Amino acid sequence: MVLGVPDASLRPFVDRYVGYRERADVPLVRREPAGVFVVLILGWGAPLDVTDPRSEQRGVTAVDSFVAGTFDSWCTTRTVGVGEGVELLLAPLTARRLLGLPLSELTNRAVGVGQFPGRWLDRLRGRLAEATGWSERFDLLDRVLAARLAASPPVDPRLDWAWRWLATSGGRGSVGVLADELGWSRRHLASRFRQEVGLPPKMAARLLRFQRAHAASTQAGGVGRGVDWAAVAAGCGYYDQSHLIRDFHEFAGATPAALLSGR
């Protein structure tokens, strides 16, 4: 794994590039938790499958590059062979500008990059594969992404502010208070969020809390100490531990303890 730092002009939009090369001699299956972010994989190695257990139509098979929109449940990836590529995790409104379409069109879906208008992602994948090293690849990403952002209109500043308000609070802020701050009705706020972010604000807030709890539990388990789940729940804005466990079941398909023990 190789981490790349984007150009300073891109850092408000992209925090890092993750280059990877991975060999799986037998089928490797991963459970991918839900999240209010967009996954972009640009690969040129072994293909993989993305499966949403709720619906075959939401996944994609035998692709090396894809975009996964905001998901409100877990899915799985499966691959075998040697995979190589770059992964980006994008905030929803950044992805909306780069992809040039409202994220409601990608909610709970994984789509091969060849299906996007203009096939610019498919061409970028090919250029990344032909590059001679990771520095050259990260420089190429800087140039292409900066050009895409420069050519795209900014999102509604009120929606951008609303997203940042929710994200900064870790999903702990009241959606009603947010609507009042904007001077919008709750219905209008929910409609705009669903269209541009792909999920309504209440679900986005739940996922932001879950993401924070998932990261906290993974960090605690990774350093080899026991996890105080009640403390994690309280620190991440849950009413109690049972609500945290409910969200782990819904968004990751297992209890927090089961996820850690199975890593």
Side-chain angles (χ1 to χ4, degrees):
M1 186 174 291
V2 181
L3 300 182
V5 178
D7 182 79
S9 64
L10 284 172
R11 286 177 209 162
F13 306 98
V14 183
D15 65 343
R16 65 179 181 174
Y17 305 132
V18 181
Y20 64 88
R21 187 175 189 275
E22 182 173 61
R23 176 172 177 168
D25 293 325
V26 296
L28 174 63
V29 180
R30 287 192 174 99
R31 186 189 299 257
E32 307 289 354
V36 60
F37 51 79
V38 174
V39 179
L40 170 59
I41 298 289
L42 296 171
W44 48 90
L48 52 75
D49 304 332
V50 182
T51 303
D52 183 334
R54 299 172 297 179
S55 170
E56 291 184 2
Q57 284 67 42
R58 293 173 174 173
V60 65
T61 59
V63 297
D64 53 23
S65 305
F66 66 91
V67 175
T70 48
F71 264 75
D72 60 15
S73 185
W74 58 276
C75 61
T76 62
T77 59
R78 181 186 186 278
T79 188
V80 62
V82 178
E84 191 168 11
V86 180
E87 178 187 67
L88 286 78
L89 299 182
L90 302 171
L93 297 180
T94 295
R96 195 264 181 266
R97 289 185 62 183
L98 287 173
L99 299 174
L101 76 169
L103 292 190
S104 58
E105 298 185 22
L106 294 173
T107 304
N108 291 321
R109 292 182 61 205
V111 180
V113 298
Q115 297 184 44
F116 283 84
R119 300 184 67 87
W120 71 277
L121 279 172
D122 198 30
R123 292 196 299 273
L124 176 57
R125 182 211 65 82
R127 294 172 66 188
L128 289 169
E130 294 170 358
T132 57
W134 291 111
S135 293
E136 184 178 337
R137 290 180 180 123
F138 296 152
D139 288 343
L140 174 60
L141 285 168
D142 278 348
R143 295 194 301 274
V144 172
L145 298 185
R148 289 287 301 185
L149 288 169
S152 68
V155 298
D156 185 328
R158 295 166 295 180
L159 192 63
D160 183 59
W161 183 87
W163 163 254
R164 293 180 187 277
W165 190 90
L166 266 187
T168 300
S169 73
R172 301 172 79 168
S174 163
V175 174
V177 171
L178 175 57
D180 291 341
E181 291 281 343
L182 288 167
W184 288 352
S185 69
R186 292 192 184 192
R187 178 177 293 182
H188 183 67
L189 173 62
S191 175
R192 293 298 310 279
F193 241 77
R194 191 186 295 274
Q195 176 73 7
E196 301 298 340
V197 174
L199 298 167
K202 279 192 174 182
M203 178 59 74
R206 281 185 64 195
L207 284 166
L208 286 165
R209 288 195 299 271
F210 164 73
Q211 287 170 206
R212 187 176 178 185
H214 186 269
S217 61
T218 300
Q219 182 179 16
V223 296
R225 66 172 185 264
V227 181
D228 184 342
W229 297 112
V232 170
C236 295
Y238 283 94
Y239 181 75
D240 56 25
Q241 185 175 336
S242 65
H243 283 76
L244 176 139
I245 293 172
R246 176 204 63 185
D247 275 6
F248 268 77
H249 268 295
E250 182 172 343
F251 299 143
T255 66
L259 281 180
L260 284 184
S261 65
R263 287 182 63 220

